[in-house]
Amino acid sequence: MKNTITRSFELGDYAIKGAQIDGFSMTLHDREHLSTEVKYVPACCDSFTKDQIEELIQRIMEKASYFMEKLHENIKCNVIFVDFEETGFTPDSDMPSIEVRSLEKLHVIYRFSVEYYI
């Protein structure tokens, strides 16, 4: 079953220090594609500062790396930052170069997919 997505992660696995989850949904498109949408809001105030967004982006990329470590080698996790023109990144690429701004919430899609067959 290495060519299908048979494992997903729990809500708590998407938690990030300094942020609360304000929206969460999973969509299994088919046995090879799973999308998890998460909306993060600040735990302490009304909106994220630019510095908090930069730190949150770094933690999200670390989280995606963690997910990939737990999955079969042929399943990849692509991260899409919806608030930034839906730019997608993989954890094994360079850190995203995003023009950061203050936001009330950060909308992220973790997209899992089978990249090649074993």
Side-chain angles (χ1 to χ4, degrees):
M1 297 301 286
K2 293 181 181 180
N3 295 322
T4 61
I5 297 174
T6 57
R7 182 188 191 312
S8 63
F9 298 94
E10 297 177 10
L11 179 62
D13 294 321
Y14 293 90
I16 295 178
K17 184 179 178 184
Q20 293 180 336
I21 295 175
D22 187 48
F24 181 87
S25 67
M26 288 183 156
T27 305
L28 183 62
H29 303 283
D30 56 41
R31 65 187 189 145
E32 297 174 353
H33 300 91
L34 170 71
S35 294
T36 304
E37 291 191 46
V38 183
K39 293 180 183 173
Y40 295 102
V41 295
C44 64
C45 43
D46 292 335
S47 63
F48 290 113
T49 64
K50 289 181 180 182
D51 290 341
Q52 289 172 322
I53 291 291
E54 286 179 356
E55 185 177 335
L56 191 57
I57 288 171
Q58 182 173 343
R59 289 186 180 177
I60 288 167
M61 296 306 290
E62 290 168 359
K63 184 76 59 180
S65 291
Y66 165 79
F67 292 152
M68 285 181 55
E69 289 171 9
K70 300 297 180 193
L71 296 168
H72 293 291
E73 71 214 26
N74 63 325
I75 299 175
K76 302 298 179 197
C77 178
N78 190 32
V79 179
I80 298 168
F81 297 98
V82 177
D83 300 297
F84 299 102
E85 301 177 18
E86 297 201 23
T87 308
F89 299 95
T90 57
D92 52 359
S93 64
D94 292 334
M95 279 301 289
S97 173
I98 296 174
E99 192 171 322
V100 178
R101 63 183 185 277
S102 298
L103 294 170
E104 289 182 12
K105 66 174 65 176
L106 182 61
H107 185 183
V108 178
I109 300 173
Y110 297 88
R111 196 167 279 161
F112 299 92
S113 59
V114 176
E115 294 292 309
Y116 59 89
Y117 296 101
I118 298 178

